[in-house]
Structures are given as structure tokens and as C-alpha cells.
Amino acid sequence: MKAYALTSYRDGGTLEWLDVPRPTAGADQVVVEVRAAGLNPLDRMVAAGQFRQLIPYRLPLVLGQELAGVVTEVGPKVHDVAVGDRVFARPDINRIGTFTEAIAVDVADTAPMPAGLSFAEAASLPLVLLTAVQAFTEKAQVRPGDKVFVQGGTGGLGSVAVQVAKHLGATVATTVSTSNVELARSLGADVVVDYRTQRYEDHVKDYDVVLDTLGRDETLRSMKVLRSGGTMVSVAGAPDPELAAQLGRPFLGPVMWLMSRRARRAARAQDAMYRFLFMRADGSQLARLTPAIEAGSIRPLVGHTFELGQLEQAMALLASGKANPGKIVVEAKP
Ligand SMILES: NC(=O)c1ccc[n+]([C@@H]2O[C@H](COP(=O)([O-])OP(=O)(O)OC[C@H]3O[C@@H](n4cnc5c(N)ncnc54)[C@H](OP(=O)(O)O)[C@@H]3O)[C@@H](O)[C@H]2O)c1
């Protein structure tokens, strides 16, 4: 079968179509025929070698971090999923590779596909949905009535994070560019700041939680809108030592401690917390959100769809940074 793979880290990553063997299911795995796969900035980052020191990927590496599809084989220890079931998943970071026709996924990373969604819509959700939930329920504890600030509220992550924060009962402020102001409101944001014409500091003050999706200077800038005792969860800023432990590379802890020192110090200076999140696969977390998806409280936002064979174009659009609002998804014919 065909797979879209990283074959070399040279020149920012060489991506090629390869012929690879069809997978078979391990004891706790299911083989899923991929009907759709979502694209994420992470795909570009992996191709560019930004994870080389963190995750020992072997090349060629089939890219792709999430999928929706149909189960075609179940491993001998899998009892609650059957051939023909529709599932969606973000496979474990060590077992990525959804840009292909079929993939073996740990069953624990899968969840039944929410009713009423197309494969493309379902494939757009797992990575960003898990990121938002882990940010707001694990790194920070968002409670009803809390105020949450999400940077980039119509991006792949931001569009879902706004809705997850609303689902948890928060008041949500977000930044978007001018053409996306109405869209952000329709996703439920209470305060929408056009970052091209306004300063969010003038509208967003004393917030309980900030989701930093931008990194760089924006990490420290947006931290200032936190109340005393508030929490910044960053998915794009400096990694902290918890990431080294999470990836099973504790020797990198001191490096990450140093990398995040400035952000942690700035947070401490205003009696707040800085925490970095690198999301992880978790099928049961996806399943717990399914009722909210089926009720329409969390809606996927797919901006562009391509056929699986057009991954070059899809990846070029991702790299251009001009795909927003929403996510890019590739679809495969059965
Ligand atoms: N650590 C993790 O586990 C994790 C998980 C998911 C994502 N991420 C990271 O989170 C970031 C966002 O991911 P994504 O999928 O949402 O990317 P995306 O779909 O490209 O969205 C980026 C968003 O940022 C907005 N933006 C750009 N400049 C801005 C500014 N100065 N102020 C406010 N908003 C601005 C864009 O809005 P306009 O297009 O309207 O300008 C767009 O909506 C990426 O860096 C990604 O790697 C990390």
C-alpha cells in the first residue's frame, strides 16, 4: 500500500510516497482503514527534525498524527471493538503514520466515531480535542465561571479549545484576525479581539487560565492577563521538565528546566503558574467528549479537504500558514 513518508531530514525534510507492507494488528491493536487524516503543524515540525532529540523515530517515517476510519482487523486481546466499526484516534506519538491506507493503532488510543460526523470532520478532531481537554482539565483545572483566554481562536487548536472551555462552563476570550471575528463568536467566544487592530490587554484582564498557542514573545505578553493564582498552559512556548519525564527522557529534564526558566520566573513574579503541555493519545478521553460532539456543543471546523493522494498540496498549504480558519484534512476513497 502507499504511504507518505519522511525519508530524510535534509532541506527541512524530504517527503515521498513509498510502498509499504499492510499492517497487521498486535495483541492490543486494531487495524484501521484510513478514510480521513487531519494535518497539524506537528507534521511539519516532525519533518523538519524538531523532534529528533526527543523521540527516536527511524526513517522512513510515515507521517500523520490523527485519523478516522473503519476497523478491518482486531488483535486477539481486543474485545470491545469489532471489524466494521468506525473509529477516530490520535495514535501514540511513537506509533504515528496516518498518511496511508491502513494503520495498526493501540485500541486504547481509539474511540467510536461520533454519530453525525463525516470521516473528514472526525479526523480533524482527535489531536486538538485532546490538547484542549488536557490543557483545561489536567494542566489547569477550569471550573464553571472561570475566565479563559485562548490565543488564535479560529485556528485548528483554538477553534476547538474555545468550544471545550465553553463546554466546561468558562467565559472565553480569544484573539483572531479581522475576517474571523464573526466565526469566533459563532464558536461561543464571549470576548473576541481582532489582534490585527486591537490590543488584547485592553479587553482581557485578570483571567484564570491562558492557553498560549503562539509561543515566542506572546508567551510572556499573554501571561500578563492572568490573575494572581492563575495558570498559563503553553503548547507552543518553552517545554518544561515534565515533558522530559512524559517522553521517558528524564536526562533532558535539566535542559527543559533551563529552557522554561524565564517563563516560570515571569509567572512566579505575578503569583501565577507556567505549565507546558505536549498532548498525549487517549481514546477514553475522546470517548468521554463524544456526547458533547453529538449534541453539537463541540463542532469540528474543517477549512480545507484534499484527497489522500494530494498530500503534497495539503502539506504545502499547511506550511504556508494560510490555511485558517480550521483544519486541513485529507480523505481516502474506500
Ligand atoms: N504541544 C502540543 O501538544 C500541541 C498540540 C496542538 C497544537 N500545538 C501547537 O499549537 C500551535 C497552534 O496550532 P494550530 O493547529 O491551531 O495551528 P493553526 O491552525 O495554524 O492556527 C494558528 C492560529 O494562530 C493565529 N495567529 C497567528 N498569529 C497570531 C497572533 N499574533 N495573535 C493571535 N493569533 C494569531 C492564526 O490566526 P489567523 O490565521 O487568523 O491569523 C491561527 O488561527 C502550533 O504551534 C502547534 O504546533 C501544540
Side-chain angles (χ1 to χ4, degrees):
M1 65 177 191
K2 296 283 181 205
Y4 193 62
L6 175 70
T7 55
S8 151
Y9 284 114
R10 274 194 300 278
D11 302 328
T14 309
L15 303 175
E16 293 176 78
W17 284 102
L18 301 181
D19 284 311
V20 300
R22 285 196 96 78
T24 53
D28 294 307
Q29 291 186 320
V30 292
V31 173
V32 184
E33 182 183 83
V34 177
R35 293 294 180 85
L39 274 71
N40 292 279
L42 190 54
D43 298 310
R44 280 279 357 131
M45 294 163 78
V46 171
Q50 292 181 31
F51 283 83
R52 278 176 92 169
Q53 311 299 330
L54 290 178
I55 302 164
Y57 287 130
R58 282 212 221 106
L59 304 191
L61 171 73
V62 181
L63 293 183
Q65 305 275 344
E66 58 187 352
L67 83 158
V70 180
V71 173
T72 56
E73 184 192 334
V74 300
K77 290 194 183 159
V78 174
H79 303 297
D80 44 359
V81 176
V83 169
D85 285 359
R86 293 172 168 214
V87 294
F88 70 149
R90 185 276 188 270
D92 182 85
I93 187 72
N94 295 298
R95 297 184 209 281
I96 63 169
T98 61
F99 293 164
T100 182
E101 296 167 35
I103 177 176
V105 187
D106 293 349
V107 71
D109 297 340
T110 70
M113 214 172 100
L117 295 194
S118 65
F119 284 112
E121 288 171 326
S124 76
L125 282 175
L127 190 139
V128 290
L129 192 53
L130 290 167
T131 306
V133 169
Q134 290 163 16
F136 297 147
T137 66
E138 297 179 359
K139 297 286 176 178
Q141 277 74 42
V142 172
R143 310 249 179 262
D146 279 358
K147 293 194 287 182
V148 173
F149 178 46
V150 175
Q151 289 267 44
T154 55
L157 172 58
S159 57
V160 166
V162 165
Q163 298 181 80
V164 169
K166 288 301 295 178
H167 176 65
L168 293 170
T171 296
V172 179
T174 193
T175 44
V176 296
S177 54
T178 315
S179 57
N180 292 327
V181 168
E182 283 315 312
L183 175 59
R185 289 218 172 90
S186 77
L187 295 171
D190 302 281
V191 179
V192 181
V193 179
D194 174 353
Y195 74 83
R196 294 194 193 270
T197 60
Q198 297 170 299
R199 281 169 42 84
Y200 55 78
E201 294 88 339
D202 298 335
H203 306 270
V204 182
K205 292 187 173 83
D206 291 331
Y207 268 54
D208 300 280
V209 175
V210 170
L211 180 64
D212 168 35
T213 62
L214 298 174
R216 300 207 171 93
D217 296 347
E218 284 296 331
T219 302
L220 296 192
R221 180 181 165 203
S222 58
M223 194 183 279
K224 296 206 177 82
V225 312
L226 281 173
R227 68 165 169 82
S228 163
T231 304
M232 161 169 281
V233 184
S234 179
V235 292
D240 64 16
E242 278 180 48
L243 176 61
Q246 178 186 338
L247 296 178
R249 299 179 102 64
F251 56 92
L252 290 174
V255 179
M256 293 184 179
W257 185 87
L258 272 176
M259 289 170 81
S260 58
R261 189 165 59 169
R262 194 157 161 245
R264 286 183 292 106
R265 198 182 269 167
R268 251 196 329 272
Q270 59 181 89
D271 191 26
M273 282 242 289
Y274 172 84
R275 302 192 73 185
F276 181 79
L277 168 68
F278 187 63
M279 60 77 58
R280 55 166 212 291
D282 188 337
S284 56
Q285 228 166 25
L286 288 178
R288 283 199 293 280
L289 287 157
T290 293
I293 299 168
E294 292 180 344
S297 334
I298 299 173
R299 286 178 286 131
L301 185 62
V302 177
H304 301 267
T305 53
F306 292 85
E307 287 179 17
L308 181 65
Q310 296 176 307
L311 260 164
E312 283 93 344
Q313 288 105 299
M315 286 293 283
L317 180 60
L318 180 75
S320 75
K322 295 193 175 123
N324 280 290
K327 298 249 325 214
I328 308 170
V329 174
V330 290
E331 294 178 289
K333 298 230 163 55

